[in-house]
Amino acid sequence: MRNAVGSVDSVLVLGGRSEIGAAIAERLVRDGARRVVLAARGATRVEDFGDVASRLHDAGPVELHGVDFDAAEPGRHAEVVARAVELVGDLDVVIAAFGVLGDQGAYEEDPASAARDVGVNFGGLVSASLAVARRLRRQGHGALVVLSSVAGVRVRRGNMVYGAAKAGVDRFAVALGDSLRGSGARVLVVRPGHVFTSMSRHVAPAPFPTTATDVATRVVAALRADRDTVWCPAVLRPLFGVLRLLPRPVWRRLPR
């Protein structure tokens, strides 16, 4: 629950090694969050999160926990959420920050790898989000932050596997937010453009690139304002309002 000054207390990061997820959690700790569960594949101890754990400890007095979470194992997602609740009680903010950014050319050479990564990016998000939503609905409060992407707003031929998965993520997250209306729980859909992180290092920056810190600042502001969507940076919203209307012959000529 939020305290008297509007700060949340407990945070679960699904994808606890994500630079964006860590930046959001760090900002929440600086704002007053005191209990954080980091969940990532093969991690069961706080020490398994290395620099992320150090940053959170430096951000303020915080109780940290580590939980094993694999987006490719949907059968365990409800168990992961239940374990986080055992550790910190009600979940005030859950950040779904996991995903894979593969290479389109490699996907076309190895279709099985494309299917596997879509399963992580979209299937894993669906399973984990439904498990979280069930918990938040039962609590009667809490927010699920879903990291979508402008890549899913209109899918490009040069990035169609990742973009199509993010399109599914985005549409699903919006509908999940609608389903939670009136329950006290909600979904915040985050639509960043190119973010400078280790995951995007192999990709040439698109126009209006941003950083994980900037995304975190905008996400936390959106949480405080009870918004349901945030674009990072804000200029991408009107830009994609135009790009969505481009005729297909023009759209397919765009370089990225």
Side-chain angles (χ1 to χ4, degrees), residues 18-246:
S18 156
E19 291 174 54
I20 299 176
I24 298 171
E26 180 181 354
R27 182 58 189 269
L28 290 171
V29 170
R30 292 188 187 282
D31 282 0
R34 289 296 172 260
R35 296 175 294 162
V36 177
V37 180
L38 298 171
R41 185 170 56 187
T44 56
R45 306 171 307 154
V46 172
E47 291 77 9
D48 295 328
F49 293 89
D51 290 344
V52 172
S54 297
R55 284 175 55 185
L56 292 175
H57 278 303
D58 290 344
V62 62
E63 170 189 323
L64 280 183
H65 302 275
V67 173
D68 185 20
F69 166 72
D70 190 339
E73 293 187 8
R76 292 194 56 244
H77 291 175
E79 176 187 329
V80 171
V81 173
R83 177 58 180 153
V85 172
E86 286 179 5
L87 290 167
V88 299
D90 282 358
L91 303 173
D92 295 331
V93 174
V94 180
I95 306 163
F98 56 86
V100 181
L101 177 59
D103 177 76
Q104 180 59 38
Y107 285 146
E108 292 175 22
E109 292 297 321
D110 182 8
S113 69
R116 182 187 62 234
D117 287 357
V118 169
V120 170
N121 289 345
F122 182 45
L125 185 280
V126 169
S127 174
S129 295
L130 288 174
V132 170
R134 184 168 59 184
R135 174 63 200 182
L136 299 188
R137 188 180 285 112
R138 186 181 306 161
Q139 294 176 177
H141 70 92
L144 170 62
V145 177
V146 174
L147 292 185
S148 176
S149 170
V150 294
V153 175
R154 186 171 184 181
V155 180
R156 293 173 290 106
R157 62 183 175 86
N159 197 22
M160 56 189 171
V161 172
Y162 179 78
K166 284 298 186 182
V169 165
D170 196 282
R171 295 300 87 196
F172 170 79
V174 170
L176 183 62
D178 290 341
S179 78
L180 289 172
R181 284 280 177 182
S183 70
R186 64 194 180 96
V187 174
L188 172 62
V189 181
V190 185
R191 294 179 182 141
H194 184 98
V195 183
F196 291 113
T197 65
S198 57
M199 191 172 90
S200 65
R201 190 174 297 149
H202 66 289
V203 180
F208 307 108
T210 188
T211 65
T213 301
D214 289 338
V215 173
T217 298
R218 293 188 59 80
V219 167
V220 172
L223 285 170
R224 282 182 172 272
D226 286 337
R227 294 173 57 188
D228 55 18
T229 307
V230 61
W231 298 70
C232 307
V235 68
L236 293 178
R237 182 173 185 174
L239 176 63
F240 272 82
V242 174
L243 293 177
R244 275 190 288 202
L245 300 176
L246 282 183

